[in-house]
Amino acid sequence: MSASATTADPHPKSRDPGGLAAWGIAALVAATVLLGVLLPNRAPHGSVSPAADATCAEWGDGCSVCRRQAEGPACSLPGIACTPGPLRCLQRVGG
């Protein structure tokens, strides 16, 4: 071995950009998950149940249907194998 042989630099000046990008992405994902868990869950504004909406004359969830009457709401019975979905207004007052 000669004295002019080069030795490897123990502290390279350039880093692997792929590894740095992977750590950055992992940190971003972790921060997003933490924010989703820690921030309060807020319901969207303006979402009113069809049963509470006076302009909704008939509403249902895919299993049973309710109709607003003078003596109060009247609802049908769901089928035995029905899986209810979200409540939605089926008919508005006057149309």
Side-chain angles (χ1 to χ4, degrees):
M1 198 164 182
S2 71
S4 64
T6 59
T7 59
D9 186 7
H11 303 290
K13 293 190 179 14
S14 64
R15 296 197 180 261
D16 178 27
L20 188 59
W23 279 107
I25 291 171
L28 184 63
V29 169
T32 303
V33 169
L34 282 174
L35 284 174
V37 169
L38 297 177
L39 291 178
N41 187 10
R42 297 179 188 229
H45 296 291
S47 60
V48 176
S49 170
D53 184 3
T55 63
C56 185
E58 186 174 286
W59 62 94
D61 61 2
C63 290
S64 61
V65 176
C66 297
R67 180 174 284 252
R68 193 175 311 279
Q69 297 183 348
E71 50 285 337
C75 299
S76 66
L77 295 174
I80 193 166
C82 187
T83 304
L87 280 176
R88 60 187 184 95
C89 186
L90 304 174
Q91 183 179 7
R92 297 260 173 216
V93 175

